[in-house]
């Protein structure tokens, strides 16, 4: 698994996976926050393990950020890039808003 999480590189999903013994590598991604990668376990001697990106990419959003990105148009551009990534399963992971957190749009709309 190769996640990128600009808000908290050591927290969130990577920390949860690490606590369960799942190896996590942090890399910069062109699209999305988390991407699962299958890595060859026994590469030929002298060769780096081959990697294959699985068809799931996750874009993590806070409720406030999703509302703001819908209002200012960033959501459409990001959705376009996710669709063009070649990965068949783009997912949005919507984080529950904090108590009293101001939202640009009502939560049911998000």
């Amino acid at each position: 698994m190769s996640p990128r999480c600009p808000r908290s590189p050591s927290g969130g999903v990577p920390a949860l996976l690490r606590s369960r013994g799942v190896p996590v590598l942090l890399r910069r991604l062109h699209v999305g926050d988390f991407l699962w990668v299958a890595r060859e376990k026994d590469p030929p001697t002298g060769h780096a393990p081959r990697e294959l990106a699985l068809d799931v990419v996750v874009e993590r959003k806070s409720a406030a950020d999703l509302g703001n990105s819908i209002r200012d148009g960033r959501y459409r551009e990001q959705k376009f890039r996710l669709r063009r990534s070649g990965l068949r399963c783009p997912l949005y992971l919507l984080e529950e808003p904090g108590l009293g957190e101001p939202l640009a749009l009502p939560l049911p709309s998000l």
Side-chain angles (χ1 to χ4, degrees):
M1 171 169 184
S2 301
R4 176 187 63 87
C5 180
R7 288 170 291 228
S8 56
S10 61
V13 174
L16 176 65
L17 292 170
R18 280 191 191 104
S19 72
R20 299 188 186 280
V22 176
V24 174
L25 300 173
L26 296 178
R27 296 183 185 169
R28 185 160 194 80
L29 300 176
H30 295 288
V31 64
D33 290 318
F34 302 101
L35 176 68
W36 282 263
V37 174
R39 178 183 278 182
E40 184 177 30
K41 287 188 178 187
D42 294 316
T45 305
H47 290 82
R50 291 179 290 185
E51 296 180 333
L52 177 66
L54 304 183
D55 269 346
V56 178
V57 60
V58 177
E59 177 64 36
R60 183 176 133 192
K61 288 281 190 193
S62 70
D65 187 37
L66 179 59
N68 290 331
S69 67
I70 289 171
R71 291 185 106 184
D72 68 18
R74 288 180 292 129
Y75 171 78
R76 293 185 89 161
E77 186 271 332
Q78 191 170 53
K79 184 174 73 169
F80 175 78
R81 287 189 298 118
L82 282 168
R83 282 187 167 167
R84 295 286 309 247
S85 71
L87 301 169
R88 290 187 288 180
C89 258
L91 301 173
Y92 272 89
L93 176 63
L94 181 60
E95 298 174 346
E96 188 170 299
L99 190 61
E101 180 180 352
L103 300 176
L105 296 171
L107 191 57
S109 298
L110 296 176

